[in-house]
Short mmCIF file of all heavy atoms in Angstrom, two decimals:
data_model
loop_
_atom_site.label_atom_id
_atom_site.label_comp_id
_atom_site.label_asym_id
_atom_site.label_seq_id
_atom_site.Cartn_x
_atom_site.Cartn_y
_atom_site.Cartn_z
N GLN A 28 0.83 -1.22 0.00
CA GLN A 28 0.00 0.00 0.00
C GLN A 28 0.86 1.26 0.00
O GLN A 28 0.63 2.18 -0.79
CB GLN A 28 -0.94 0.01 1.21
CG GLN A 28 -1.87 1.21 1.19
CD GLN A 28 -2.92 1.14 2.29
OE1 GLN A 28 -2.74 0.42 3.27
NE2 GLN A 28 -4.00 1.87 2.14
N SER A 29 1.85 1.33 0.89
CA SER A 29 2.69 2.52 0.93
C SER A 29 3.49 2.67 -0.36
O SER A 29 3.74 3.79 -0.82
CB SER A 29 3.64 2.45 2.13
OG SER A 29 4.48 1.32 2.04
N MET A 30 3.88 1.56 -0.96
CA MET A 30 4.59 1.62 -2.23
C MET A 30 3.67 2.16 -3.32
O MET A 30 4.08 2.96 -4.15
CB MET A 30 5.07 0.22 -2.61
CG MET A 30 5.95 -0.46 -1.60
SD MET A 30 6.36 -2.12 -2.18
CE MET A 30 6.76 -2.92 -0.65
N GLU A 31 2.42 1.71 -3.28
CA GLU A 31 1.47 2.15 -4.29
C GLU A 31 1.23 3.65 -4.19
O GLU A 31 1.08 4.35 -5.19
CB GLU A 31 0.14 1.41 -4.11
CG GLU A 31 0.14 0.04 -4.75
CD GLU A 31 0.05 0.16 -6.26
OE1 GLU A 31 -1.02 0.48 -6.79
OE2 GLU A 31 1.07 -0.07 -6.91
N GLN A 32 1.18 4.18 -2.97
CA GLN A 32 0.95 5.61 -2.80
C GLN A 32 2.07 6.41 -3.44
O GLN A 32 1.83 7.43 -4.10
CB GLN A 32 0.82 5.92 -1.31
CG GLN A 32 -0.44 5.36 -0.68
CD GLN A 32 -0.47 5.49 0.83
OE1 GLN A 32 0.54 5.81 1.46
NE2 GLN A 32 -1.62 5.25 1.43
N SER A 33 3.31 5.94 -3.28
CA SER A 33 4.44 6.63 -3.91
C SER A 33 4.38 6.48 -5.42
O SER A 33 4.62 7.44 -6.16
CB SER A 33 5.76 6.04 -3.39
OG SER A 33 5.87 6.23 -2.01
N ARG A 34 4.03 5.28 -5.88
CA ARG A 34 3.99 5.02 -7.31
C ARG A 34 2.95 5.87 -8.00
O ARG A 34 3.16 6.38 -9.10
CB ARG A 34 3.73 3.53 -7.52
CG ARG A 34 3.92 2.99 -8.92
CD ARG A 34 2.67 3.03 -9.75
NE ARG A 34 1.58 2.35 -9.13
CZ ARG A 34 0.34 2.38 -9.59
NH1 ARG A 34 0.05 3.10 -10.65
NH2 ARG A 34 -0.62 1.74 -8.97
N ARG A 35 1.78 6.08 -7.37
CA ARG A 35 0.68 6.77 -8.03
C ARG A 35 0.97 8.24 -8.28
O ARG A 35 0.33 8.87 -9.12
CB ARG A 35 -0.60 6.65 -7.18
CG ARG A 35 -1.21 5.24 -7.22
CD ARG A 35 -2.61 5.25 -6.64
NE ARG A 35 -3.14 3.90 -6.55
CZ ARG A 35 -3.35 3.25 -5.43
NH1 ARG A 35 -3.06 3.82 -4.27
NH2 ARG A 35 -3.85 2.03 -5.44
N ARG A 36 1.93 8.81 -7.55
CA ARG A 36 2.27 10.20 -7.80
C ARG A 36 2.79 10.39 -9.22
O ARG A 36 2.68 11.48 -9.80
CB ARG A 36 3.33 10.67 -6.78
CG ARG A 36 2.80 10.79 -5.37
CD ARG A 36 3.73 11.64 -4.53
NE ARG A 36 5.07 11.07 -4.43
CZ ARG A 36 5.46 10.26 -3.46
NH1 ARG A 36 4.61 9.91 -2.52
NH2 ARG A 36 6.71 9.79 -3.43
N LEU A 37 3.39 9.33 -9.77
CA LEU A 37 3.95 9.43 -11.11
C LEU A 37 3.22 8.54 -12.11
O LEU A 37 3.03 8.92 -13.26
CB LEU A 37 5.43 9.02 -11.08
CG LEU A 37 6.35 9.92 -10.26
CD1 LEU A 37 7.73 9.27 -10.14
CD2 LEU A 37 6.49 11.29 -10.91
N ASP A 38 2.83 7.37 -11.67
CA ASP A 38 2.28 6.36 -12.58
C ASP A 38 0.79 6.19 -12.29
O ASP A 38 0.41 5.65 -11.26
CB ASP A 38 3.04 5.05 -12.36
CG ASP A 38 2.61 3.96 -13.32
OD1 ASP A 38 1.72 4.22 -14.15
OD2 ASP A 38 3.15 2.86 -13.23
N LYS A 39 -0.06 6.64 -13.19
CA LYS A 39 -1.51 6.63 -12.96
C LYS A 39 -2.19 5.41 -13.56
O LYS A 39 -3.42 5.35 -13.61
CB LYS A 39 -2.12 7.90 -13.58
CG LYS A 39 -1.50 9.20 -13.10
CD LYS A 39 -1.70 9.40 -11.60
CE LYS A 39 -1.14 10.74 -11.14
NZ LYS A 39 -1.27 10.93 -9.68
N ARG A 40 -1.44 4.44 -14.04
CA ARG A 40 -2.05 3.31 -14.71
C ARG A 40 -2.85 2.41 -13.77
O ARG A 40 -2.53 2.27 -12.60
CB ARG A 40 -0.98 2.46 -15.39
CG ARG A 40 -0.26 3.12 -16.53
CD ARG A 40 0.86 2.23 -17.05
NE ARG A 40 1.86 1.99 -16.01
CZ ARG A 40 2.74 1.00 -16.05
NH1 ARG A 40 2.72 0.16 -17.05
NH2 ARG A 40 3.62 0.86 -15.10
N LYS A 41 -3.89 1.79 -14.32
CA LYS A 41 -4.64 0.78 -13.59
C LYS A 41 -3.81 -0.49 -13.56
O LYS A 41 -3.13 -0.83 -14.53
CB LYS A 41 -5.96 0.49 -14.31
CG LYS A 41 -6.85 -0.54 -13.64
CD LYS A 41 -7.41 -0.02 -12.33
CE LYS A 41 -8.39 -1.03 -11.74
NZ LYS A 41 -8.91 -0.57 -10.43
N ARG A 42 -3.84 -1.23 -12.45
CA ARG A 42 -3.07 -2.45 -12.32
C ARG A 42 -4.00 -3.65 -12.20
O ARG A 42 -5.07 -3.58 -11.61
CB ARG A 42 -2.15 -2.39 -11.11
CG ARG A 42 -1.06 -1.36 -11.26
CD ARG A 42 0.09 -1.61 -10.29
NE ARG A 42 1.13 -0.63 -10.46
CZ ARG A 42 2.08 -0.70 -11.38
NH1 ARG A 42 2.11 -1.71 -12.21
NH2 ARG A 42 3.00 0.24 -11.47
N ALA A 43 -3.54 -4.77 -12.77
CA ALA A 43 -4.28 -6.02 -12.66
C ALA A 43 -3.32 -7.15 -12.35
O ALA A 43 -2.23 -7.23 -12.94
CB ALA A 43 -5.03 -6.31 -13.96
N LEU A 44 -3.70 -8.01 -11.41
CA LEU A 44 -2.89 -9.16 -11.03
C LEU A 44 -3.57 -10.43 -11.53
O LEU A 44 -4.75 -10.68 -11.24
CB LEU A 44 -2.74 -9.23 -9.51
CG LEU A 44 -1.93 -10.43 -8.99
CD1 LEU A 44 -0.47 -10.29 -9.38
CD2 LEU A 44 -2.07 -10.58 -7.49
N TYR A 45 -2.82 -11.24 -12.28
CA TYR A 45 -3.30 -12.53 -12.78
C TYR A 45 -2.50 -13.64 -12.10
O TYR A 45 -1.27 -13.58 -12.06
CB TYR A 45 -3.11 -12.63 -14.29
CG TYR A 45 -3.95 -11.67 -15.11
CD1 TYR A 45 -3.58 -10.33 -15.24
CD2 TYR A 45 -5.10 -12.10 -15.76
CE1 TYR A 45 -4.33 -9.45 -16.00
CE2 TYR A 45 -5.86 -11.23 -16.53
CZ TYR A 45 -5.47 -9.90 -16.65
OH TYR A 45 -6.22 -9.03 -17.41
N ILE A 46 -3.19 -14.66 -11.59
CA ILE A 46 -2.53 -15.81 -10.98
C ILE A 46 -2.91 -17.06 -11.77
O ILE A 46 -4.09 -17.37 -11.94
CB ILE A 46 -2.94 -15.99 -9.51
CG1 ILE A 46 -2.61 -14.73 -8.70
CG2 ILE A 46 -2.24 -17.20 -8.90
CD1 ILE A 46 -3.05 -14.80 -7.25
N LEU A 47 -1.89 -17.76 -12.25
CA LEU A 47 -2.09 -18.98 -13.04
C LEU A 47 -1.65 -20.16 -12.18
O LEU A 47 -0.46 -20.38 -11.99
CB LEU A 47 -1.30 -18.91 -14.34
CG LEU A 47 -1.68 -19.86 -15.48
CD1 LEU A 47 -0.95 -19.45 -16.77
CD2 LEU A 47 -1.39 -21.30 -15.16
N MET A 48 -2.63 -20.92 -11.66
CA MET A 48 -2.35 -22.08 -10.82
C MET A 48 -2.41 -23.34 -11.69
O MET A 48 -3.46 -23.67 -12.25
CB MET A 48 -3.35 -22.19 -9.67
CG MET A 48 -3.36 -20.99 -8.74
SD MET A 48 -1.79 -20.72 -7.86
CE MET A 48 -1.75 -22.14 -6.75
N ASN A 49 -1.29 -24.02 -11.79
CA ASN A 49 -1.21 -25.21 -12.64
C ASN A 49 -1.63 -26.47 -11.88
O ASN A 49 -0.89 -27.45 -11.78
CB ASN A 49 0.21 -25.38 -13.18
CG ASN A 49 0.55 -24.35 -14.23
OD1 ASN A 49 -0.12 -24.24 -15.24
ND2 ASN A 49 1.60 -23.56 -13.97
N ASN A 50 -2.82 -26.45 -11.34
CA ASN A 50 -3.38 -27.59 -10.62
C ASN A 50 -4.82 -27.26 -10.22
O ASN A 50 -5.30 -26.16 -10.48
CB ASN A 50 -2.55 -27.92 -9.36
CG ASN A 50 -2.04 -26.68 -8.67
OD1 ASN A 50 -2.83 -25.86 -8.21
ND2 ASN A 50 -0.72 -26.52 -8.59
N THR A 51 -5.49 -28.20 -9.60
CA THR A 51 -6.83 -27.94 -9.08
C THR A 51 -6.71 -27.38 -7.67
O THR A 51 -5.71 -27.57 -6.98
CB THR A 51 -7.69 -29.21 -9.03
OG1 THR A 51 -7.08 -30.14 -8.14
CG2 THR A 51 -7.83 -29.83 -10.41
N MET A 52 -7.76 -26.70 -7.23
CA MET A 52 -7.78 -26.14 -5.89
C MET A 52 -8.80 -26.84 -5.00
O MET A 52 -8.90 -26.57 -3.83
CB MET A 52 -8.13 -24.65 -5.97
CG MET A 52 -7.09 -23.79 -6.66
SD MET A 52 -5.61 -23.54 -5.65
CE MET A 52 -4.49 -24.78 -6.30
N ARG A 53 -9.55 -27.76 -5.57
CA ARG A 53 -10.64 -28.39 -4.83
C ARG A 53 -10.14 -29.58 -4.01
O ARG A 53 -9.44 -30.45 -4.54
CB ARG A 53 -11.72 -28.89 -5.80
CG ARG A 53 -12.93 -29.54 -5.14
CD ARG A 53 -13.89 -30.07 -6.19
NE ARG A 53 -15.09 -30.61 -5.61
CZ ARG A 53 -15.23 -31.86 -5.18
NH1 ARG A 53 -14.20 -32.69 -5.27
NH2 ARG A 53 -16.37 -32.28 -4.66
N PRO A 54 -10.51 -29.66 -2.73
CA PRO A 54 -10.17 -30.86 -1.95
C PRO A 54 -10.83 -32.09 -2.58
O PRO A 54 -11.94 -32.01 -3.11
CB PRO A 54 -10.77 -30.56 -0.57
CG PRO A 54 -10.89 -29.08 -0.52
CD PRO A 54 -11.19 -28.64 -1.92
N ARG A 55 -10.15 -33.21 -2.54
CA ARG A 55 -10.70 -34.45 -3.11
C ARG A 55 -10.65 -35.55 -2.07
O ARG A 55 -9.62 -35.82 -1.47
CB ARG A 55 -9.88 -34.88 -4.33
CG ARG A 55 -10.42 -36.13 -5.02
CD ARG A 55 -9.59 -36.47 -6.24
NE ARG A 55 -8.27 -36.96 -5.88
CZ ARG A 55 -7.99 -38.24 -5.61
NH1 ARG A 55 -8.95 -39.13 -5.66
NH2 ARG A 55 -6.77 -38.60 -5.30
N PHE A 56 -11.83 -36.17 -1.84
CA PHE A 56 -11.88 -37.24 -0.85
C PHE A 56 -11.15 -38.47 -1.36
O PHE A 56 -11.32 -38.89 -2.51
CB PHE A 56 -13.32 -37.62 -0.53
CG PHE A 56 -13.41 -38.74 0.49
CD1 PHE A 56 -13.32 -38.47 1.83
CD2 PHE A 56 -13.53 -40.06 0.07
CE1 PHE A 56 -13.36 -39.49 2.77
CE2 PHE A 56 -13.57 -41.09 1.00
CZ PHE A 56 -13.49 -40.81 2.35
N GLU A 57 -10.32 -39.03 -0.51
CA GLU A 57 -9.62 -40.27 -0.81
C GLU A 57 -9.26 -40.91 0.51
O GLU A 57 -8.50 -40.34 1.30
CB GLU A 57 -8.36 -39.99 -1.63
CG GLU A 57 -7.56 -41.23 -1.99
CD GLU A 57 -6.31 -40.88 -2.78
OE1 GLU A 57 -6.44 -40.38 -3.91
OE2 GLU A 57 -5.20 -41.11 -2.26
N GLN A 58 -9.84 -42.09 0.79
CA GLN A 58 -9.57 -42.74 2.06
C GLN A 58 -8.09 -43.07 2.20
O GLN A 58 -7.50 -43.72 1.34
CB GLN A 58 -10.40 -44.02 2.21
CG GLN A 58 -10.24 -44.66 3.59
CD GLN A 58 -11.22 -45.79 3.81
OE1 GLN A 58 -12.04 -46.08 2.94
NE2 GLN A 58 -11.14 -46.44 4.96
N THR A 59 -7.49 -42.58 3.26
CA THR A 59 -6.06 -42.75 3.48
C THR A 59 -5.77 -44.12 4.09
O THR A 59 -6.43 -44.53 5.06
CB THR A 59 -5.53 -41.64 4.40
OG1 THR A 59 -5.88 -40.37 3.87
CG2 THR A 59 -4.02 -41.73 4.53
#
């Protein structure tokens, strides 16, 4: 946040963060 405040004084661009997870996120039942 503090970095962003400094950055915005000069750089007015909108930012977007993309996360690419190379797997599933869902728990899967499997009797251990």
Side-chain angles (χ1 to χ4, degrees):
Q28 184 173 19
S29 60
M30 303 178 202
E31 277 286 287
Q32 291 172 348
S33 299
R34 192 269 305 171
R35 287 193 185 110
R36 290 198 299 268
L37 296 171
D38 184 0
K39 305 297 183 182
R40 293 175 298 161
K41 181 69 175 178
R42 293 199 179 277
L44 178 69
Y45 294 79
I46 302 177
L47 198 169
M48 300 297 291
N49 288 302
N50 38 62
T51 62
M52 294 287 98
R53 182 184 184 273
R55 182 178 71 87
F56 180 83
E57 180 181 295
Q58 185 171 358
T59 306

